[in-house]
Amino acid sequence: MRIWPNGKNRNLHLNSQTFLLMQPSVKWFEIPVSDLARAAGFYGRLFDNPVMHLDLGDLKMGLLAGGQGALVQHPAYVPSHEGALLFFDGGNDLAELLDRVEPAGGKVIRPKTQISPEQGFMGLFEDSEGNRLGLRSQQ
């Protein structure tokens, strides 16, 4: 039995394929940074893709390849280990990206760790700005 947001009990039996299709998807994310140039260098080296800079006055952005998120420098954006944890796609094997973290100026918090045979692997890192983020892959 599950309790839905409206407080009603619902007996719901879903197979894993249906459950995955029902998940909300992320349309956009913003990673707070205190030094956009430093952060752009870190993420550019981590993902081996350039970061496109966008100056909007007090708000400065570094658009990440793929167009689904950005690095943001603004007084209201504070890098942190607190709050939501964003996991990037680690490709075929997240170990390749995790190996780039420290040379790029970050810190590995949790090495590649298996979640389960079905869910694959995860790893956590701290970026050059002090944000806690993750990587996920099947291998």
Side-chain angles (χ1 to χ4, degrees):
M1 175 170 44
R2 291 178 172 72
I3 305 295
W4 289 55
N6 65 6
K8 294 183 180 177
N9 295 334
R10 300 274 194 233
N11 289 322
L12 184 63
H13 301 285
L14 300 173
N15 65 38
S16 61
Q17 186 176 34
T18 303
F19 180 75
L20 291 174
L21 292 173
M22 294 175 64
Q23 292 300 301
S25 63
V26 174
K27 298 295 181 189
W28 180 258
F29 61 87
E30 295 179 344
I31 300 172
V33 304
S34 52
D35 183 328
L36 184 58
R38 180 178 59 211
F42 173 82
Y43 284 96
R45 287 188 294 277
L46 179 65
F47 294 120
D48 198 24
N49 276 307
V51 174
M52 188 174 89
H53 293 261
L54 184 60
D55 189 336
L56 303 170
D58 286 347
L59 183 89
K60 308 223 182 313
M61 298 181 94
L63 303 176
L64 299 173
Q68 293 180 314
L71 309 172
V72 180
Q73 181 178 330
H74 183 272
Y77 287 72
V78 179
S80 173
H81 272 231
E82 306 297 320
L85 181 57
L86 173 67
F87 282 83
F88 288 102
D89 181 351
N92 291 329
D93 184 351
L94 66 86
E96 294 175 26
L97 290 175
L98 213 51
D99 287 344
R100 297 181 194 168
V101 168
E102 290 183 2
K107 177 181 167 185
V108 174
I109 299 171
R110 178 179 287 170
K112 181 179 173 182
T113 305
Q114 186 174 35
I115 302 165
S116 73
E118 300 79 26
Q119 291 295 313
F121 295 83
M122 57 86 67
L124 297 176
F125 66 93
E126 179 180 292
D127 70 7
S128 62
E129 306 306 293
N131 293 301
R132 179 180 57 120
L133 298 136
L135 297 165
R136 296 228 6 210
S137 67
Q138 277 306 116
Q139 297 179 22

